[in-house]
Amino acid sequence: MQCTACILPRIQRHYGVSNAKIGVMSSSMFLGLMCGALVWGPVSDRFGRLVPYRWTLVVSATFGLLASAAPSFGLLCVCLFGLGSGVGGNMPVDGAIFLEFIPREKRHLLTMLSVFFSLGSVLTSAVALALLPPFSCPETGPCDVSKQNNGWRYLLVTMALVTIVMVVLRNGWFRLYETPKFLLQNRGRSDVVVVLKKVASFNGARRAGDDDSDDARGSLMSDGSGSGSEHAWLEWPEAAENEAAEPAGEPALGRRAWAGAALARVRAACDVRAHVRLVRPLFAPGLRRTTTLVWAIWGVVALGFTMFNVFLPKFLETHKAAGQTQVAVYRDALVYAVSGVPGSLLGAWLVDTRLGRVYSMVLATTVSGLALIGFAFAARAQIPALTIAASSVFGLTSTLMFAVIYAYTPEVFRPAVRGTACGMASAIGRVAGIVAPLITGALLELSTTVPMYVSVALLWAAAGCMFVLPIETRDIAA
């Protein structure tokens, strides 16, 4: 996403796209993010977390390479849609996997997981600073875009190669097992115990005996206050009491049987009615208000944040002071990206203080709006130091905000519907991401500061939704 923001001005020059239409590029990406979240979230609830974990980055890398070779603006948008479909499926599933493996007392580390989003933005901004100014059209004079404006292609190739490295590491270097809580909900006790033994062995703990299944059950159910807690989502399946112990894994299948099983899985993954049935429990009386508010927060925050973030390099170029170059613009974008790194670390500390998850979100979102007001004033007055300071504060607080949102969402939903709930929340955010660039493109025809003030209003509306969330997840089991 940071890559898309960095190359947007260069794409606009390359294909001669107007302000009103350039938002289609970002919208294509977010449409893919939405579709990916809608498909991969339910797939993870039905077939396990490992399926999207292994394949979403493959999809992202493939379409990233294709996008770098796109001969037209339309085909570029199609490739960005494919790229987004992989990224959109990866994001909600990774949070669920992390949460379902981590002990309860270490759950605050889920907030720190988002530090890798910030580090990815820093890497992308640094590569953009190195590649875009020397391999882009000069700021004045004529330009042969086919020869002088290929920096954006080099950036896409570089990011695709980085993703391929991640694919190799995920599928070949790191060995990840299916999460115990998914197995507990869908298969039974014996598979859970086998996985827990392997995890314990890998981490140097003693190998658990067959009689440790009750301990495994207790550790998975524990919420620090007994299994009878109001929000202790996880219940041990009664059917597992009569289940005979059997080795984990599936029996070896012949080629025909394997192909038949794979085809059956594809058909089941396309069963829309089955996916819809997974949504119904989210609107049961005990969860209806939480589901509505969480999904509203994802949508409104994504709309407000994207209206600013996707167009940041363009805002910087439009309001740069006299004498500033493309290098200065991308340097400021890099500073903005770096400022977000401490946000995740600060969030990991804040969520376990008296503020908890809910009030940490409220604080971060409110301050983000104030920072945008400062940025709009500084950009209009062309005060570079204040512009950088305001964007840095926004980078810090918005990263903190998203870190807590990403942690809170999987925590507040029980494992049986967690993938669907997170996938739907992410999809709603992507719908907002689709609309945001189109709205911003239209508003840019009026003024470059109007989108920023609209973003402020949206962020503060989201803070209001956060304030009335009924469940604080700091002290409950996930």
Side-chain angles (χ1 to χ4, degrees), residues 159-328:
M159 293 299 103
L161 292 176
V162 171
T163 306
I164 290 172
V165 172
M166 296 299 106
V167 170
V168 173
L169 291 176
R170 278 195 171 193
N171 294 287
W173 189 266
F174 300 118
R175 180 68 184 275
L176 188 69
Y177 303 102
E178 188 56 80
T179 67
K181 290 191 177 182
F182 173 82
L183 294 173
L184 194 62
Q185 292 285 336
N186 293 274
R187 296 185 187 177
R189 179 182 307 184
S190 60
D191 290 331
V192 176
V193 173
V194 170
V195 168
L196 290 177
K197 284 181 181 179
K198 291 179 179 179
V199 172
S201 176
F202 179 84
N203 287 282
R206 65 180 182 85
R207 275 190 75 88
D210 292 338
D211 59 344
D212 280 344
S213 58
D214 289 333
D215 292 338
R217 168 187 175 179
S219 66
L220 285 170
M221 291 181 64
S222 173
D223 65 348
S225 59
S227 60
S229 170
E230 177 186 359
H231 301 301
W233 299 120
L234 191 56
E235 295 182 0
W236 192 256
E238 295 297 330
E241 299 294 339
N242 300 322
E243 181 183 39
E246 57 183 1
E250 299 177 355
L253 298 176
R255 289 185 178 180
R256 289 186 180 180
W258 184 89
L263 181 60
R265 283 198 167 200
V266 171
R267 287 175 178 171
C270 297
D271 187 348
V272 177
R273 291 183 180 179
H275 292 331
V276 171
R277 284 195 295 270
L278 290 172
V279 177
R280 291 175 185 169
L282 297 173
F283 290 93
L287 271 181
R288 186 181 301 130
R289 182 181 175 189
T290 298
T291 300
T292 303
L293 285 172
V294 167
W295 288 359
I297 288 166
W298 275 76
V300 177
V301 164
L303 187 61
F305 176 79
T306 306
M307 288 182 68
F308 173 78
N309 188 67
V310 169
F311 287 86
L312 176 62
K314 184 168 182 63
F315 290 147
L316 292 172
E317 283 196 11
T318 304
H319 292 285
K320 65 184 178 183
Q324 280 193 311
T325 63
Q326 281 187 25
V327 173

Side-chain angles (χ1 to χ4, degrees), residues 67-78:
S68 69
S72 67
F73 182 69
L75 285 177
L76 174 66
C77 291
V78 171

Side-chain angles (χ1 to χ4, degrees), residues 339-361:
S339 69
V341 175
S344 301
L345 306 178
L346 179 61
W349 172 73
L350 274 181
V351 294
D352 277 343
T353 66
R354 281 187 167 186
L355 288 175
R357 273 68 163 160
V358 172
Y359 292 122
S360 294
M361 282 190 281

